[in-house]
Amino acid sequence: MQAMALQRLRNIGVGSVSRPRCVPRVAGPVKPRIAVQAVSTSTGRTAPRMIQHKAEAFWFYRFLSIVYDHIVNPGHWTEDVRTDALVPAKLDSPDLKVVDVGGGTGFCTLGVVQSVEGENVTLIDQSPHQLAKAKAKPALKDVTIMEGDAEDLPFAADSFDRYVSAGSIEYWPEPQRGITEA
């Protein structure tokens, strides 16, 4: 099913056959495209998009990662909110294979490993700076932590029992591509 969805997207010109590098090479300064309008395909309404390109996200998280767990998370992404957000994932067995896509510093992954064995969990994010914070957390020592693109995951279809992603999809340039990866 996933392969068919990706092929349909490729046939209509959406998606990519080759895997992009996670750290884009950019000539010259990156011009921020903060609050660019995006059009909803379901409603036709526009809404601001915070980050439109992976190069911008790289630099955004390069600096935000320094204070992310101390300022950003406590302000809106608390342990109680995380616990509630993970309920639909039905993390009801320690043997489940779980991928946390766009997992950043591992805050959501910390909630996952409360129910699932760390060696069965993979955290993937495009920001090496966010991932460095995740790797420093003792509770995530058994988790596979890797750099990668949420819109082009490096896994075969059905590699995981559960796919979780919390707090990052709003920053993906093409969230529909990321959803087809689930």
Side-chain angles (χ1 to χ4, degrees), residues 55-133:
E56 292 165 357
F58 174 83
W59 290 108
F60 179 77
Y61 283 109
R62 163 66 184 92
F63 296 103
L64 187 61
S65 65
I66 297 167
V67 297
Y68 197 85
D69 285 334
H70 306 291
I71 295 174
V72 177
N73 278 344
H76 72 280
W77 188 227
T78 65
E79 290 181 16
D80 289 341
V81 170
R82 174 185 67 199
T83 299
D84 291 345
L86 287 172
V87 169
K90 296 183 182 172
L91 302 174
D92 52 9
S93 168
D95 299 323
L96 290 170
K97 289 189 54 98
V98 180
V99 61
D100 182 0
V101 179
T105 66
F107 184 77
C108 184
T109 314
L110 288 169
V112 173
V113 298
Q114 290 177 5
S115 304
V116 178
E117 295 294 330
E119 61 267 9
N120 295 333
V121 178
T122 299
L123 183 161
I124 187 166
D125 195 276
Q126 73 143 10
S127 170
H129 308 98
Q130 295 280 78
L131 293 173
K133 298 289 185 179

Side-chain angles (χ1 to χ4, degrees), residues 14-15 20-22 24 33 36-41 47-58 61 102 126 148-152 168-179:
V14 177
R21 293 186 54 93
C22 291
R33 293 187 182 163
V36 172
Q37 295 295 314
V39 179
S40 167
T41 56
R49 294 287 305 274
M50 294 303 289
I51 298 175
Q52 288 289 310
H53 301 285
K54 289 175 175 44
E56 292 165 357
F58 174 83
Y61 283 109
Q126 73 143 10
D149 188 339
E151 297 173 344
D152 194 14
S168 70
I169 193 169
E170 62 268 28
Y171 301 114
W172 302 350
E174 297 180 65
Q176 300 85 349
R177 283 184 57 210
I179 291 168

Side-chain angles (χ1 to χ4, degrees), residues 8 18 37 39 67 70 140 160 180:
R8 281 194 304 272
S18 64
Q37 295 295 314
V39 179
V67 297
H70 306 291
L140 302 181
F160 297 93
T180 64

